[in-house]
């Protein structure tokens, strides 16, 4: 049953809650030469907490919610994911049901709104045990965590978050004051589809002799650590053309870069910056301030690029992207992996890259899972049997790594979306370079949305905007810290 003392404080602070309206997850080919026997070798070497467990055929109910009807169910077959991946999903389901003695049942609410939050918080306050686990939209899962509606995953004995089928970067970056309430890993593949990336049109690269500029292919630029926003802007120059001679640049013309509003989130992270970081005590702290010179400079440079004449934001025109990329009218396309699936049957030859670095001096690339589309795995704090929830999730993650992840990367992505070996390596790089910014999900005083509001018209007032939100955003973050502390104190 819910802790009634915590409910009172949670209800009061929920009046201030802004709900949304609108890592290192290893891939099968990511192991080094010294440990490349197979991904299966890596998984089976770890002790399995669910071995010997049998729940006698009990039903295990999973709630899945998301912001949009085009989301996929990670645990059921679907035409949307194709035959190969559907077969793997079905196999994983059978493996888990046999391994731990359960019958997996899913309920999906894939439509706009905060349905995950509404469903699970209502169950929490009523003490309902309808769901044993959930996969919930990022904007919903954070308020569920700090209002005590979710289990601290570290408290579940049969869930070992250190195992390789859980995303190590998520564990590192989503732990707050020793508590972690949601995560991801091989248990799902939707999160892989939501990664930001840059696609480049190979035909245009060849026709415009882009190799002549730096002397390297785009893949080599990435490997050398020289794939930066400055490099992308340089490569984009000379491609843009008013091909219909209308005197006005619009979606019928050719550009060096095709982009959209939410890319500013990826740009912030790609500079190694976040909306919220953690202090030395693990408490949340606002990072997007007027004093964050790296963040402001990165956003300023990106705005310069996007409003400098060689880029177009397809959201600023009716008709959307209008197939510009596959019609050889955009050299670079800043997008999500899931969008590229629309081109699997097209003739256009393209490759994928991570978002560029802010500076070549950075030690790594950073990949953002789309905050609006991202979902996380969690366990309701009022679930009927925490041991069953933990064991089933552990089994789903383990068999996901053995069965579903290889099918997703090797059979589906590599076989249908991309056309070369180098892009396979880039997929591994995206998975290795995940960046989880909890500030995108907390949305303190809506400061994260200000990035988009400023970017749309090409407004450069980043420092003053961050300053104007500092007090309210910091106050909200402190309220959330206190809620996490209260939960810990009342365990």
């Amino acid at each position: 049953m819910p802790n009634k003392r915590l409910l009172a404080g949670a209800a009061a602070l929920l009046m201030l809650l802004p709900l949304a309206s609108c890592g290192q997850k290893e891939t099968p080919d990511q192991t080094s030469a010294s440990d490349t026997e197979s991904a299966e070798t890596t998984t089976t070497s770890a002790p399995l907490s669910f071995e010997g467990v049998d729940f006698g055929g009990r039903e295990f109910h999973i709630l899945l919610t998301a912001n949009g009807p085009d989301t996929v169910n990670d645990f059921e077959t679907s035409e949307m994911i194709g035959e190969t991946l559907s077969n793997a999903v079905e196999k994983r389901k059978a493996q888990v049901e046999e391994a731990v003695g359960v019958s997996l049942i899913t309920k999906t609410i894939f439509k706009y709104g905060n349905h995950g939050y509404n469903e699970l918080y209502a169950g929490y306050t009523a003490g309902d045990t309808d769901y044993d686990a959930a996969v919930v939209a990022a904007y919903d899962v954070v308020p569920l965590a700090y209002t005590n509606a979710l289990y601290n995953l570290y408290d579940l004995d049969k869930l070992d978050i250190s195992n390789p089928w859980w995303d190590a970067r998520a564990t590192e970056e989503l732990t707050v004051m020793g508590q972690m309430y949601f995560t991801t890993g091989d248990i799902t593949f939707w999160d892989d589809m939501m990664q930001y990336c840059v696609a480049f049109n190979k035909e245009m690269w060849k026709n415009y002799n882009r190799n002549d500029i730096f002397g390297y292919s785009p893949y080599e630029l990435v490997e050398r650590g020289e794939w930066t926003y400055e490099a992308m802007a340089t490569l984009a120059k000379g491609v843009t053309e008013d091909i219909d001679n209308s005197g006005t640049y619009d979606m019928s013309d050719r550009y060096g870069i095709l982009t959209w509003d939410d890319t500013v989130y990826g740009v912030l992270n790609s500079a190694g910056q976040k909306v919220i970081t953690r202090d030395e005590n693990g408490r949340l702290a606002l990072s997007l301030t007027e004093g964050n010179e790296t963040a402001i400079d990165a956003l300023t440079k990106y705005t310069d690029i996007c409003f400098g004449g060689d880029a177009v934001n397809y959201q600023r025109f009716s008709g959307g992207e209008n197939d510009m990329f596959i019609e050889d009218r955009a050299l670079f396309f800043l997008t999500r992996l899931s969008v590229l699936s629309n081109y699997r049957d097209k003739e256009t030859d393209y490759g994928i890259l991570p978002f560029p670095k802010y500076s070549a001096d950075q030690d790594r690339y950073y990949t953002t899972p789309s905050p609006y589309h991202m979902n996380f795995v969690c366990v309701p704090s009022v679930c009927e049997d925490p041991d069953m929830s933990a064991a089933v999730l552990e089994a789903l993650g383990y068999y996901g790594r053995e069965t579903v992840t290889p099918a997703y990367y090797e059979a589906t992505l590599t076989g249908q979306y991309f056309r070369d070996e180098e892009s396979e390596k880039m997929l591994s790089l995206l998975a290795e370079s995940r960046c989880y910014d909890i500030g995108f999900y907390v949305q303190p005083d809506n400061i994260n949305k200000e990035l988009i509001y400023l970017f749309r018209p090409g407004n450069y007032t980043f420092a003053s905007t961050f300053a104007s939100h500092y007090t309210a955003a910091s106050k909200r973050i402190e309220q959330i810290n206190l809620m996490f502390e209260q939960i810990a104190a009342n365990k």
Side-chain angles (χ1 to χ4, degrees):
M1 291 296 290
N3 185 316
K4 299 301 182 184
R5 187 150 56 109
L6 285 175
L7 272 176
L13 284 175
L14 278 174
M15 299 298 291
L16 302 172
L17 178 65
L19 292 180
S21 59
C22 335
Q24 191 172 358
K25 180 174 178 179
E26 294 183 359
T27 55
D29 59 350
Q30 195 179 308
T31 49
S32 64
S34 62
D35 49 46
T36 51
E37 288 136 285
S38 71
E40 184 175 350
T41 302
T42 304
T43 58
T44 54
S45 63
L48 303 177
S49 61
F50 58 86
E51 284 186 317
V53 171
D54 187 347
F55 294 102
R58 289 166 59 183
E59 292 183 348
F60 189 89
H61 293 266
I62 306 175
L63 172 69
L64 296 99
T65 69
N67 285 314
D70 58 344
T71 312
V72 298
N73 184 335
D74 291 278
F75 309 110
E76 297 289 347
T77 60
S78 166
E79 290 184 3
M80 290 176 62
I81 61 176
E83 182 179 2
T84 300
L85 189 50
S86 283
N87 289 341
V89 168
E90 186 66 23
K91 180 180 178 181
R92 194 257 301 262
K93 181 179 181 181
Q95 288 172 320
V96 171
E97 289 182 335
E98 180 179 358
V100 296
V102 297
S103 176
L104 296 177
I105 299 173
T106 61
K107 175 182 176 179
T108 60
I109 308 177
F110 292 158
K111 55 186 179 180
Y112 302 111
N114 301 105
H115 301 286
Y117 176 83
N118 295 336
E119 186 89 356
L120 290 184
Y121 193 75
Y124 165 63
T125 57
D128 294 336
T129 58
D130 295 342
Y131 303 110
D132 302 291
V135 183
V136 179
Y139 289 155
D140 287 353
V141 77
V142 173
L144 286 168
Y146 60 65
T147 53
N148 202 37
L150 302 179
Y151 253 100
N152 179 0
L153 299 181
Y154 293 128
D155 290 340
L156 296 171
D157 293 337
K158 293 190 177 299
L159 188 70
D160 186 353
I161 213 70
S162 68
N163 277 324
W165 42 89
W166 300 110
D167 189 324
R169 287 206 187 277
T171 302
E172 176 188 352
E173 298 181 1
L174 299 177
T175 296
V176 180
M177 291 180 277
Q179 306 167 63
M180 187 172 73
Y181 295 89
F182 52 93
T183 191
T184 187
D186 292 288
I187 192 169
T188 74
F189 54 86
W190 175 253
D191 61 324
D192 295 287
M193 297 170 67
M194 293 304 109
Q195 294 175 125
Y196 285 0
C197 65
V198 178
F200 73 97
N201 184 305
K202 289 186 177 180
E203 188 67 21
M204 291 183 65
W205 183 275
K206 177 182 176 182
N207 290 343
Y208 286 89
N209 302 314
R210 296 297 92 174
N211 261 28
D212 294 347
I213 295 178
F214 292 110
Y216 306 117
S217 74
Y219 299 123
E220 290 174 308
L221 281 172
V222 171
E223 291 173 359
R224 292 170 63 90
E226 298 173 7
W227 173 236
T228 64
Y229 287 99
E230 183 179 356
M232 183 176 70
T234 300
L235 291 163
K237 291 186 183 301
V239 173
T240 304
E241 183 182 354
D242 179 13
I243 59 178
D244 61 359
N245 295 311
S246 66
T248 302
Y249 283 86
D250 55 28
M251 295 296 287
S252 64
D253 295 312
R254 182 182 294 120
Y255 296 88
I257 299 169
L258 177 64
T259 187
W260 99 106
D261 288 345
D262 290 23
T263 52
V264 289
Y265 289 163
V267 171
L268 177 70
N269 288 161
S270 68
Q273 304 302 306
K274 295 182 177 182
V275 176
I276 288 178
T277 55
R278 292 165 303 171
D279 64 19
E280 63 276 9
N281 298 313
R283 303 173 95 250
L284 301 178
L286 184 65
S287 177
L288 198 60
T289 68
E290 63 177 327
N292 190 330
E293 295 180 1
T294 299
I296 292 170
D297 192 47
L299 294 166
T300 299
K301 288 180 177 178
Y302 183 65
T303 305
D304 282 340
I305 292 171
C306 291
F307 286 85
D310 289 307
V312 63
N313 184 331
Y314 66 76
Q315 289 181 306
R316 305 281 68 80
F317 293 87
S318 61
E321 61 195 78
N322 196 32
D323 289 335
M324 291 180 64
F325 184 67
I326 61 172
E327 292 173 0
D328 298 338
R329 291 189 291 111
L331 175 61
F332 295 116
F333 182 17
L334 280 67
T335 187
R336 303 187 312 273
L337 282 176
S338 60
V339 174
L340 296 178
S341 68
N342 298 329
Y343 306 146
R344 73 175 78 181
D345 299 324
K346 306 297 183 181
E347 295 297 324
T348 300
D349 195 9
Y350 62 90
I352 61 161
L353 312 168
F355 264 42
K357 292 181 179 180
Y358 160 67
S359 166
D361 295 334
Q362 286 179 203
D363 61 353
R364 52 168 282 212
Y365 294 94
Y366 293 84
T367 295
T368 300
S370 174
Y372 184 75
H373 303 88
M374 185 63 184
N375 297 344
F376 288 102
V377 176
C378 58
V379 176
S381 59
V382 291
C383 68
E384 183 177 357
D385 186 342
D387 281 344
M388 181 172 73
S389 294
V392 173
L393 290 182
E394 191 77 358
L396 283 167
Y398 171 79
Y399 288 111
R401 183 175 173 84
E402 283 201 334
T403 304
V404 178
T405 297
Y408 177 73
Y409 278 95
E410 297 174 12
T412 304
L413 278 179
T414 305
Q416 296 182 47
Y417 294 7
F418 308 121
R419 276 62 165 179
D420 55 38
E421 261 184 53
E422 289 87 350
S423 282
E424 292 184 47
K425 296 177 182 178
M426 294 298 107
L427 285 178
S428 293
L429 177 58
L430 294 180
E432 292 171 3
S433 60
R434 288 277 190 91
C435 176
Y436 295 97
D437 188 345
I438 199 170
F440 288 148
Y441 320 140
V442 170
Q443 307 179 86
D445 197 41
N446 224 25
I447 194 171
N448 59 301
K449 293 292 180 66
E450 292 293 342
L451 297 177
I452 292 177
Y453 300 153
L454 292 172
F455 176 65
R456 282 174 180 166
N459 189 333
Y460 289 87
T461 59
F462 297 108
S464 60
T465 299
F466 300 158
S468 69
H469 286 264
Y470 178 82
T471 300
S474 297
K475 181 179 179 180
R476 181 59 186 154
I477 292 170
E478 182 58 22
Q479 290 171 336
I480 293 170
N481 281 327
L482 292 174
M483 295 178 81
F484 278 126
E485 289 175 347
Q486 190 176 16
I487 292 170
N490 286 276
K491 283 175 58 175

